[in-house]
Amino acid sequence: MPQKKPLSREAARRKRLRIQKRRRRRITLVVVCCLVLLIAIVSAIHAIGNRLSDATEPENPPSSAQDTAKTPEKEEKEEEKVYEPASVSLIAVGDNLIHNTLLKDASNGDGTYDFTSFYENVKPYVEAADIAFVNQESPLGTGEPAGYPSFNTPQSCGEALIDAGFDVIGHANNHAMDSGSSAMYDTLDFWDSHAEDGVIRVGIARDAEDRAKVRYIERNGLKIGFLAYTYGLNGYSLPEDNPDLVSLIDKDKIAEEMAKVRENCDAVVVAMHWGQEYQDTENEEQAELSEFLAENGASVIIGSHPHVCQPAKWVEADNGNRAFCIYSTGNFISAQDKSATMVEAMLQVTLTRQTDGSIVVENPGVMPLVCWYNSSWRNYTVIPLDDYTEERASSHALSGRVDMSTSHIREIAETAFGDFMMEKTVPTTHDTEYAKNSEADHAENEE
């Protein structure tokens, strides 16, 4: 057998290189395989971790940053929050309409005026309420006093309203601009000068910033916010530099302002100057707007403008919210010449906060009032219907012109207020379901 010829030095070198390449390929393959295996193991561990995490998450994960922040512990604390129960009594009357004969009656003969006697017979009822609202149907300008058709009322009338016990003065009405912007700014100055007396004005503002302020009365630990709007201004225009001087009815604006009041107060009361004059029932627009206000969280709706009384009733919105509404409180004091314009309303309700923080309207009712003045068109005063005697009826300035008999006046009130008509009653916060339950609990604990 022939022997193999020894490899040359060059051939041996090439052989060693081939062997080294094969080794490097094997090592590279082994490293790649190891990396693939390692990646597969890591992926498997990650997948298992995700499945375990999914198994512990709720079926409906949070949908917003706010929800994410609400841990079960926080939600439980919110559910357990208990509010301090509290109640406030609220009364509301209609248009304080100072005609020329009322100006003459209030005149002292020296350029000054005194209106206090106009309200002395209802003052005990106004003062007794925790909160009292009136619609001041004219500006309180410093210029020459004037009656119909372009009103301007002396500021001493505002002093008399404060003396009678009114806390909330509404100025959003069709006569607000009767004496121009200057009279409205006089009015703002007057009421703001009495802010320390606890009086607030609603429905008028110095500018957008002033209008944006939430106006409320706080009583018994409750904040009751107020807003006021009017359908129009008798053809007058708002100044270009201040479209917020008087608040007009605008659904978008109303919804925005009600939302802000709800955020800062326990309840919202809205005064609406609306409807058709001398019509004794609400019209379609009033009904639709009242549902809109209820839907947006109003607890009480106070209507004015028709100069006669319109029904009081519950208004329920599609979202379940409910408000108590009097579509028209009629006049408060005036020199109008129809028997129905002499019948006026004092709405009485109690607003109660329950332990869950919700507000309920309790004991809603309407105490009828009568505007009386003698045959000389003097001695104007407002009295409860229960004090309107046959003697008062026969001596009324309108007696013989229209039917001012006690039976007719009472019939007008009964038609307007129905089951909500009440006898003369001094407002109180004690005659509420909350108060009755609290007294019962107190008596039980003492036993």
Side-chain angles (χ1 to χ4, degrees), residues 21-287:
K21 286 182 179 179
R22 283 197 296 271
R23 287 176 178 172
R24 283 198 294 270
R25 283 198 295 269
R26 291 192 192 102
I27 292 171
T28 300
L29 182 60
V30 170
V31 170
V32 170
C33 290
C34 289
L35 287 173
V36 171
L37 181 61
L38 180 61
I39 291 171
I41 293 171
V42 171
S43 298
I45 292 172
H46 184 67
I48 292 171
N50 284 342
R51 284 197 293 272
L52 291 174
S53 176
D54 291 342
T56 59
E57 286 183 355
E59 292 183 3
N60 298 313
S63 58
S64 67
Q66 183 179 3
D67 291 336
T68 302
K70 288 186 177 181
T71 62
E73 292 80 6
K74 288 183 179 179
E75 290 180 354
E76 185 176 351
K77 288 180 181 178
E78 288 180 0
E79 291 175 1
E80 293 176 353
K81 185 174 181 180
V82 176
Y83 292 82
E84 183 68 24
S87 294
V88 296
S89 57
L90 167 71
I91 68 105
V93 298
D95 302 340
N96 198 55
L97 193 57
I98 308 300
H99 288 96
N100 289 317
T101 52
L102 280 87
L103 288 173
K104 291 179 181 179
D105 195 25
S107 174
N108 294 319
D110 58 359
T112 63
Y113 296 82
D114 184 356
F115 297 86
T116 54
S117 62
F118 290 9
Y119 315 113
E120 62 184 359
N121 289 307
V122 290
K123 183 176 178 178
Y125 305 92
V126 179
E127 281 188 321
D130 291 317
I131 304 173
F133 172 91
V134 61
N135 172 50
Q136 175 53 43
E137 184 91 355
S138 58
L140 303 180
T142 56
E144 187 69 20
Y148 183 83
S150 296
F151 289 87
N152 189 40
T153 303
Q155 293 186 343
S156 54
C157 185
E159 300 280 1
L161 292 175
I162 295 173
D163 176 74
F166 289 100
D167 313 281
V168 186
I169 316 297
H171 271 281
N173 56 63
N174 57 305
H175 287 288
M177 295 295 294
D178 277 10
S179 295
S181 299
S182 61
M184 269 283 78
Y185 286 112
D186 290 341
T187 305
L188 286 161
D189 291 340
F190 173 78
W191 292 118
D192 290 352
S193 71
H194 288 279
E196 292 183 358
D197 297 328
V199 179
I200 64 171
R201 37 85 177 176
V202 293
I204 55 175
R206 296 183 182 278
D207 49 36
E209 182 180 358
D210 184 39
R211 179 170 177 173
K213 294 177 182 177
V214 174
R215 304 192 183 280
Y216 64 88
I217 296 289
E218 185 169 4
R219 296 281 191 274
N220 305 336
L222 284 181
K223 288 183 178 181
I224 310 301
F226 287 82
L227 294 164
Y229 304 92
T230 179
Y231 74 92
L233 300 167
N234 284 354
Y236 294 105
S237 299
L238 294 170
E240 291 183 3
D241 62 347
N242 186 11
D244 295 300
L245 184 56
V246 183
S247 299
L248 299 176
I249 294 174
D250 178 316
K251 280 188 174 182
D252 291 339
K253 191 67 175 177
I254 292 174
E256 174 189 333
E257 292 182 336
M258 289 186 69
K260 187 171 183 180
V261 175
R262 288 200 315 273
E263 290 175 4
N264 293 275
C265 299
D266 293 284
V268 187
V269 177
V270 185
M272 298 292 286
H273 209 67
W274 58 5
Q276 184 175 336
E277 290 185 329
Y278 311 114
Q279 181 175 305
D280 59 9
T281 57
E282 74 275 16
N283 60 27
E284 187 176 336
E285 182 183 22
Q286 287 172 278

